């Protein structure tokens, strides 16, 4: 989901923003006054593809999470009345029936009719010409807070000096190698006896992908030139296991209007607890989407943006050669439980075989085992190698 970062940022704060009309001491959220609002994530780009729009509902403090807005009618309409229809492909996810990309000589507006017959629409938005990413690179750094790790940076420039506002998203993919993988597995036969069997290699090496969740912005409005240098879009602490082997990041740069940038900047400020619970509570976050019924609240911004992207790869040894790997996601402690406990752990599928226990004592079992995630990387990733992946 390309818009996941921004949509997630909405959902972290909007429940609180609606519940709180002001902040008093002591702070006591009044959940019974919660008012539902439609949350819209809508960025249409100049890429020719099936565009995606996300609809959900705000959730009150204490609830598990957002509720997808189902069975809505969604369309994007141009100034020459061409209409692009969207179909619900998953709960709350609406995908255009036809692939299309925004054109610079047209304006676009969003129209939504929810399943209960309520209508929402956006202001007209127009595409801003693209700015290419000049370079994407990584460097080993120590932050102002004393954290050591890897920073991912962007340089970009606009020779025309027409564009000043940018938003960034990323998708990071990393290689996982199960540190306690063994070529055999421990099972129970039909009589409940232990048996050791061969196992597949596809649980040793995996790949996992995570998307950005923060609002990442940059602008050149106060600069003499429309150049951005060494803008850090991602920092990974050196003790994060995702750096252990090979790491890749795809960074997408969106060129924004000043109005869109201001909206996302406000959203980013809302996302900080310091701002959210300050004495000067900013109130409801207003975008460029409204309801035909003034009493129905809506959160979101319909953005038409040009986009450029670059991908970067590096290995841990490129920057930390000869140094100890980061700790794994969990401690991989070897254990040798007695047979009765081992049976239960096998049935619960929470352990993996590592070796035969050559020196069992009165309290030790016949086999050495480890937590499942230490011997089976499919617990935290996929054994299927991504199509884009390139080894060093």
């Amino acid at each position: 989901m390309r818009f996941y970062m921004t949509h997630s940022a909405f959902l972290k704060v909007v429940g609180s923003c609606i519940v709180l009309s002001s902040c008093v001491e002591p702070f006591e959220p009044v959940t019974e006054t919660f008012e539902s609002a439609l949350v819209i994530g809508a960025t249409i780009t100049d890429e020719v593809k099936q565009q995606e729009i996300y609809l959900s509902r705000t959730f009150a403090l204490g609830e598990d999470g957002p509720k997808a807005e189902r069975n809505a009618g969604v369309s994007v309409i141009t100034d020459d009345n061409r209409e692009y229809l969207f179909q619900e492909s998953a709960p709350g996810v609406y995908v255009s029936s036809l692939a299309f990309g925004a054109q610079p000589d047209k304006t676009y507006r969003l129209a939504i009719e929810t399943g209960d017959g309520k209508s929402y629409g956006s202001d007209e938005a127009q595409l801003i010409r693209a700015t290419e990413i000049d370079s994407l690179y990584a460097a080993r750094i120590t932050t102002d807070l004393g954290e050591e790790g890897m920073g991912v940076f962007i340089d970009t420039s606009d020779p025309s000096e027409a564009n000043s506002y940018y938003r960034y998203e990323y998708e990071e993919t990393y290689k996982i190698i199960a540190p306690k993988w063994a070529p055999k597995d421990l099972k129970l036969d039909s009589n409940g006896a232990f048996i050791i069997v061969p196992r597949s290699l596809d649980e040793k090496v995996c790949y996992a992908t995570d998307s950005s969740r923060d609002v990442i912005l940059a602008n050149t409005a106060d600069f003499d030139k429309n150049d951005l240098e060494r803008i850090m879009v991602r920092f990974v602490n050196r003790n994060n296991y995702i750096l252990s082997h090979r790491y890749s990041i795809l960074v997408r740069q969106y060129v924004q209007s000043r109005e869109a940038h201001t909206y996302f900047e406000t959203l980013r400020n809302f996302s900080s607890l310091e701002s959210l619970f300050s004495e000067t509570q900013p109130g409801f976050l207003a975008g460029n989407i409204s309801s035909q019924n003034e009493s129905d609240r809506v959160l979101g911004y319909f953005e038409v943006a040009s986009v450029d992207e670059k991908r970067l790869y590096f290995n841990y040894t490129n920057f930390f050669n000869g140094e100890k790997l980061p700790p794994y996601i969990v401690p991989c402690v070897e254990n040798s439980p007695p047979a009765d406990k081992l049976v239960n752990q096998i049935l619960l599928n929470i352990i993996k075989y590592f070796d035969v226990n050559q020196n069992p004592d009165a309290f030790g079992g016949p086999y050495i085992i480890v937590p499942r995630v230490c011997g089976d990387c499919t617990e935290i990733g996929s054994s299927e190698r991504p199509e884009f992946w390139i080894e060093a």
Side-chain angles (χ1 to χ4, degrees):
M1 297 182 181
R2 294 296 190 189
F3 199 78
Y4 182 74
M5 172 276 300
T6 303
H7 204 54
S8 174
F10 280 139
L11 300 176
K12 287 192 295 184
V13 299
V14 291
S16 300
C17 291
I18 293 173
V19 168
L20 304 174
S21 59
S22 62
C23 286
V24 295
E25 295 181 358
F27 169 68
E28 295 180 357
V30 186
T31 56
E32 62 266 20
T33 63
F34 170 74
E35 182 180 351
S36 175
L38 181 66
V39 181
I40 301 172
T43 297
I44 303 301
T45 74
D46 57 349
E47 303 164 287
V48 178
K49 65 176 187 178
Q50 288 184 286
Q51 308 285 342
E52 296 181 346
I53 291 172
Y54 304 91
L55 304 182
S56 63
R57 288 280 169 180
T58 54
F59 56 98
L61 292 175
E63 293 184 352
D64 291 337
K67 180 180 180 181
E69 182 72 13
R70 303 294 310 273
N71 305 317
V74 178
S75 63
V76 170
I77 305 165
T78 66
D79 53 359
D80 56 2
N81 291 322
R82 179 165 186 179
E83 185 174 17
Y84 295 97
L85 299 177
F86 286 66
Q87 304 294 326
E88 189 173 12
S89 63
V93 180
Y94 295 82
V95 178
S96 61
S97 301
L98 298 175
F100 72 98
Q103 301 296 315
D105 57 344
K106 296 182 182 297
T107 60
Y108 299 82
R109 61 183 176 89
L110 175 67
I112 295 172
E113 183 172 332
T114 57
D116 58 1
K118 296 181 178 180
S119 297
Y120 302 82
S122 75
D123 298 338
E124 290 186 337
Q126 190 168 13
L127 183 72
I128 301 174
R129 66 177 296 277
T131 299
E132 293 184 357
I133 298 172
D134 292 336
S135 58
L136 174 67
Y137 54 96
R140 180 173 174 172
I141 65 170
T142 299
T143 69
D144 293 340
L145 297 176
E147 289 187 81
E148 187 182 8
M150 293 302 301
V152 177
F153 299 91
I154 270 188
D155 291 346
T156 191
S157 59
D158 176 27
S160 71
E161 299 189 357
N163 299 331
S164 299
Y165 301 97
Y166 301 90
R167 179 170 65 85
Y168 297 95
E169 295 178 356
Y170 64 79
E171 290 179 353
E172 58 185 358
T173 303
Y174 44 94
K175 186 177 184 177
I176 304 166
I177 300 177
K180 296 287 186 176
W181 181 89
K184 296 181 180 179
D185 211 350
L186 185 63
K187 303 288 185 182
L188 298 173
D189 66 13
S190 57
N191 297 317
F194 297 120
I195 55 172
I196 298 177
V197 298
R199 62 181 288 195
S200 171
L201 292 174
D202 64 5
E203 295 176 344
K204 183 178 182 179
V205 178
C206 293
Y207 305 85
T209 297
D210 298 322
S211 297
S212 52
R213 291 175 174 266
D214 296 324
V215 181
I216 307 168
L217 302 173
N219 75 82
T220 63
D222 297 326
F223 297 170
D224 293 334
K225 297 191 303 181
N226 274 28
D227 296 347
L228 293 173
E229 295 182 354
R230 204 172 171 83
I231 300 299
M232 188 165 69
V233 295
R234 176 71 167 120
F235 173 77
V236 185
N237 188 288
R238 67 164 299 167
N239 292 319
N240 192 326
Y241 81 100
I242 70 176
L243 293 179
S244 297
H245 303 288
R246 187 160 175 78
Y247 175 92
S248 177
I249 186 168
L250 175 71
V251 176
R252 295 167 61 84
Q253 174 178 273
Y254 297 87
V255 180
Q256 296 188 293
S257 67
R258 182 175 60 84
E259 294 78 13
H261 192 84
T262 299
Y263 173 82
F264 281 96
E265 191 170 43
T266 305
L267 177 63
R268 182 179 62 183
N269 293 337
F270 270 11
S271 299
S272 71
L273 289 176
E274 181 180 354
S275 170
L276 181 60
F277 296 108
S278 67
E279 293 182 359
T280 56
Q281 180 59 228
F284 194 77
L285 181 64
N288 65 349
I289 305 172
S290 58
S291 170
Q292 289 188 355
N293 183 349
E294 293 184 359
S295 64
D296 294 329
R297 292 205 166 189
V298 58
L299 283 164
Y301 198 96
F302 175 60
E303 183 178 26
V304 181
S306 59
V307 63
D308 188 36
E309 65 181 31
K310 282 188 181 296
R311 180 176 289 279
L312 170 72
Y313 292 88
F314 63 84
N315 292 341
Y316 185 77
T317 53
N318 296 145
F319 296 93
F320 301 93
N321 191 30
E323 299 185 43
K324 187 177 180 180
L325 290 179
Y328 196 55
I329 190 171
V330 300
C332 291
V333 179
E334 298 176 14
N335 193 12
S336 184
D340 57 339
K341 292 185 177 180
L342 183 57
V343 168
N344 290 333
Q345 291 175 341
I346 292 174
L347 292 175
L348 292 172
N349 199 24
I350 59 174
I351 54 93
K352 274 296 180 182
Y353 169 85
F354 186 65
D355 202 354
V356 173
N357 187 5
Q358 302 291 349
N359 299 298
D361 55 27
F363 301 101
Y367 304 107
I368 299 172
I369 54 92
V370 294
R372 181 178 179 85
V373 69
C374 298
D376 177 4
C377 63
T378 62
E379 284 287 281
I380 52 174
S382 169
S383 60
E384 183 177 351
R385 179 171 159 173
E387 291 184 3
F388 61 81
W389 189 262
I390 299 173
E391 286 292 340

